[in-house]
């Protein structure tokens, strides 16, 4: 029944586009073959819709480091039938906590006490490349690589122009092309990312992990610095650290970066010393910390945004990927179950925009707190966090998962738990 409904909806969308060669005019084109774009494509295929994905990179390689998938992301992947594969490819975490630089815990959490007990999933840390591979393997259509979007001409119909000189005119265009989205110019022209004035360093570190860090994540709030990470398999750890300014010049040698990192993190608790000992500085990736200001709308005519293109957020809440995959599932469901793109996009934004905007605001606030440079401010911050009762922390965690965006017409054990708690 769902497949027939999906086919009817897409047929109605497609019937309104100009005639042209079928291969050049897909019903749904997704620009961006990252986590959000691929999740959207898989979700569409589950509903009988065949999208075409266009990815700027010429090939998928072992790029990027790791990613932490929180419970709401795992609930989405459970809907798509992928949760078990992702869990097997990564490391299910037992818990973690936030610490000060002296090693003292400000707050701790046990994932069995809330997330697994109430919703069936905890957190899973996985290599980004492994997650992308799992998503690509699920697709019935190939991703067209080497297709960097130059711009989008018009919105009804949209015409996508690629850097290689080719164009495509779909019935519906999904912009899942990241924080510097070219597609976003068609929806919110002139919008630029905002900077936190801090640099982030990320790496996968191969080492013999000390206990208890084989199955636990960690976070440390220092003065002007936020660092943390999670094990992604038996002998690799995804690690990140922020600094108020770049520690070395972009073209500095890896040994200079290693020295700078050791100086910057001197005195930090385990597993930081072990990670620095196992670090290959040539594997470290540096990025600026940026997010997007709120957009008035995520769509215009036949063009719609998802993931970082719509609501790029700072990493401090660990929700960037989770919110992107929530987008993918809900957008696919809206496209497949509404007769027009106008109704589909309205339903999608109504469900997703308030939640994503709220999480982005929280991430920005945590970023300000986590990178605070005042010594007195840091002491007051840490004291305030340590004073929050565990029951309050658990309630916040439960509320966050309970607000997961999932199509309401399919119910199950996890959905019953979600519906009973609201957002």
């Amino acid at each position: 029944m769902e497949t027939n409904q999906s086919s009817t909806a897409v047929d109605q969308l497609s019937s309104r586009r100009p005639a042209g060669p079928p291969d050049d005019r897909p019903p749904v084109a997704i620009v961006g073959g990252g986590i959000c774009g691929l999740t959207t494509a898989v979700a569409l295929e589950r509903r009988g819709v065949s999208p075409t994905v266009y990815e700027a990179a010429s090939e998928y390689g072992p790029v990027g480091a790791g990613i932490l998938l929180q419970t709401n992301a795992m609930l989405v992947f459970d809907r798509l039938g992928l949760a078990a594969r992702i869990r097997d490819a990564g490391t299910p975490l037992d818990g973690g906590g936030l610490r000060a630089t002296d090693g003292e815990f400000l707050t701790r959490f046990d994932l069995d006490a809330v997330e697994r007990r109430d919703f069936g999933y905890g957190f899973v840390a996985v290599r980004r490349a492994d997650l992308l591979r799992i998503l690509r393997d699920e697709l019935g259509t190939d991703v067209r690589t080497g297709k960097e979007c130059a711009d989008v001409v018009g919105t009804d119909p949209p015409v996508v122009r690629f850097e290689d000189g080719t164009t495509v005119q779909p019935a519906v265009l999904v912009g899942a092309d990241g924080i510097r989205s070219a597609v976003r110019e068609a929806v919110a022209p002139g919008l630029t990312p905002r900077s936190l004035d801090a640099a982030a360093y990320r790496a996968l570190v191969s080492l013999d992990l000390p206990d208890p860090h084989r199955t636990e994540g960690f976070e440390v709030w220092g003065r002007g610095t936020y660092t943390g990470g999670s094990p992604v398999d038996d002998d690799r750890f995804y690690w990140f650290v922020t600094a108020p300014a770049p520690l070395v010049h972009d073209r500095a040698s890896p040994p200079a970066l290693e020295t700078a990192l050791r100086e910057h993190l001197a005195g930090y608790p385990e597993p930081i010393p072990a990670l620095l000992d196992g670090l290959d500085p040539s594997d470290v990736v540096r990025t600026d910390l940026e997010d997007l200001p709120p957009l008035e709308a995520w769509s215009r005519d036949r063009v719609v945004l998802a993931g970082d293109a719509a609501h790029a957020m700072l990493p401090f809440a660990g929700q960037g990927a989770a919110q992107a995959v929530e987008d993918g599932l809900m957008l696919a469901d809206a496209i497949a179950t509404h007769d027009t793109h106008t109704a589909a996009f309205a339903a999608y934004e109504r469900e997703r925009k308030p939640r994503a905007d709220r999480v982005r605001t929280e991430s920005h606030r945590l970023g300000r707190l986590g990178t605070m440079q005042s010594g007195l401010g840091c002491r007051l911050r840490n004291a305030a966090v340590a004073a929050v009762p565990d029951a309050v922390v658990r309630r916040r965690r439960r509320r966050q998962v309970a607000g997961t965006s999932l199509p309401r017409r399919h119910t199950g054990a996890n959905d019953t738990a979600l519906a009973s708690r609201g957002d």
Side-chain angles (χ1 to χ4, degrees):
M1 180 180 231
E2 182 179 347
T3 301
N4 290 338
Q5 183 182 27
S6 301
S7 299
T8 300
V10 174
D11 287 345
Q12 289 174 331
L13 288 171
S14 300
S15 67
R16 294 173 173 83
R17 66 184 179 185
D23 290 344
D24 293 334
R25 302 187 189 281
V28 180
I30 301 172
V31 173
I35 294 170
C36 180
L38 293 177
T39 300
T40 306
V42 171
L44 283 166
E45 287 192 346
R46 293 286 196 269
R47 286 152 178 76
V49 181
S50 298
T52 303
V53 181
Y54 301 90
E55 164 57 29
S58 59
E59 62 180 358
Y60 283 90
V63 295
I67 190 166
L68 178 65
L69 297 173
Q70 294 192 20
T71 301
N72 53 320
M74 295 304 296
L75 290 175
V76 172
F77 288 128
D78 178 74
R79 279 291 182 89
L80 296 174
L82 298 176
R85 288 186 60 191
I86 292 170
R87 187 173 51 203
D88 291 345
T91 298
L93 302 184
D94 293 332
L98 174 62
R99 289 185 286 167
T101 53
D102 62 1
E104 188 74 19
F105 275 94
L106 305 176
T107 185
R108 305 188 69 154
F109 57 88
D110 177 358
L111 292 168
D112 288 334
V114 175
E115 286 83 358
R116 285 196 183 92
R117 183 193 68 192
D118 292 354
F119 303 103
Y121 292 97
F123 296 1
V124 175
V126 64
R127 291 176 64 238
R128 184 177 292 267
D130 288 340
L131 177 59
L132 292 173
R133 174 182 50 77
I134 290 170
L135 291 169
R136 292 199 314 276
D137 287 349
E138 284 297 308
L139 282 177
T141 182
D142 292 332
V143 177
R144 300 188 184 183
T145 56
K147 306 295 286 187
E148 182 177 357
C149 178
D151 61 9
V152 176
V153 181
T155 54
D156 192 7
V159 178
V160 185
R161 299 197 304 191
F162 297 102
E163 292 289 355
D164 63 6
T166 61
T167 63
V168 64
Q169 183 178 302
V172 168
L173 172 61
V174 178
D177 49 340
I179 189 171
R180 301 193 181 281
S181 168
V183 177
R184 189 174 59 240
E185 279 296 301
V187 176
L191 189 77
T192 58
R194 57 187 181 184
S195 174
L196 190 63
D197 295 327
Y201 296 87
R202 297 178 174 87
L204 278 176
V205 183
S206 297
L207 76 164
D208 184 12
L209 292 166
D211 288 330
H213 302 293
R214 293 178 184 274
T215 57
E216 287 191 359
F218 81 94
E219 298 173 55
V220 178
W221 273 359
R223 184 173 178 177
T225 296
Y226 170 78
T227 185
S230 307
V232 296
D233 56 29
D234 290 340
D235 59 1
R236 280 180 296 186
F237 202 96
Y238 166 52
W239 170 66
F240 63 86
V241 60
T242 71
L247 298 175
V248 293
H249 295 298
D250 287 344
R251 298 183 182 277
S253 66
L257 176 59
E258 181 178 8
T259 299
L261 285 169
R262 288 185 179 278
E263 292 175 354
H264 185 63
L265 296 169
Y268 275 61
E270 288 289 357
I272 297 298
L275 288 167
L276 291 173
D277 287 343
L279 178 69
D280 181 346
S282 62
D283 292 337
V284 177
V285 176
R286 182 203 146 215
T287 58
D288 295 328
L289 285 175
E290 297 178 312
D291 67 0
L292 285 179
L295 278 68
E296 290 187 9
W298 288 2
S299 64
R300 177 174 293 181
D301 296 325
R302 295 178 178 272
V303 182
V304 64
L305 305 175
D308 282 354
H311 51 69
M313 57 189 66
L314 295 171
F316 298 93
Q319 277 287 311
Q323 293 303 307
V325 299
E326 286 189 31
D327 285 354
L329 180 61
M330 292 307 300
L331 178 57
D333 184 76
I335 290 172
T337 57
H338 289 80
D339 289 344
T340 67
H341 64 276
T342 302
F345 297 166
Y348 162 65
E349 286 190 47
R350 189 164 54 246
E351 169 64 31
R352 289 295 306 136
K353 193 174 186 301
R355 175 166 164 82
D357 284 347
R358 191 162 54 246
V359 174
R360 179 188 44 220
T361 298
E362 178 189 358
S363 299
H364 198 87
R365 179 178 59 82
L366 289 173
R368 293 292 185 189
L369 289 172
T371 58
M372 184 181 294
Q373 297 186 51
S374 163
L376 174 60
C378 288
R379 290 193 294 273
L380 292 173
R381 172 200 67 192
N382 289 2
V385 172
V388 177
D390 288 345
V392 173
V393 175
R394 288 195 297 271
R395 188 160 57 248
R396 288 176 179 171
R397 288 160 49 196
R398 186 175 291 110
R399 185 180 300 118
Q400 176 176 295
V401 183
T404 304
S405 296
L406 295 171
R408 304 302 184 193
R409 67 188 185 284
H410 303 296
T411 59
N414 287 338
D415 298 338
T416 301
L418 296 176
S420 68
R421 290 175 175 84
D423 190 358

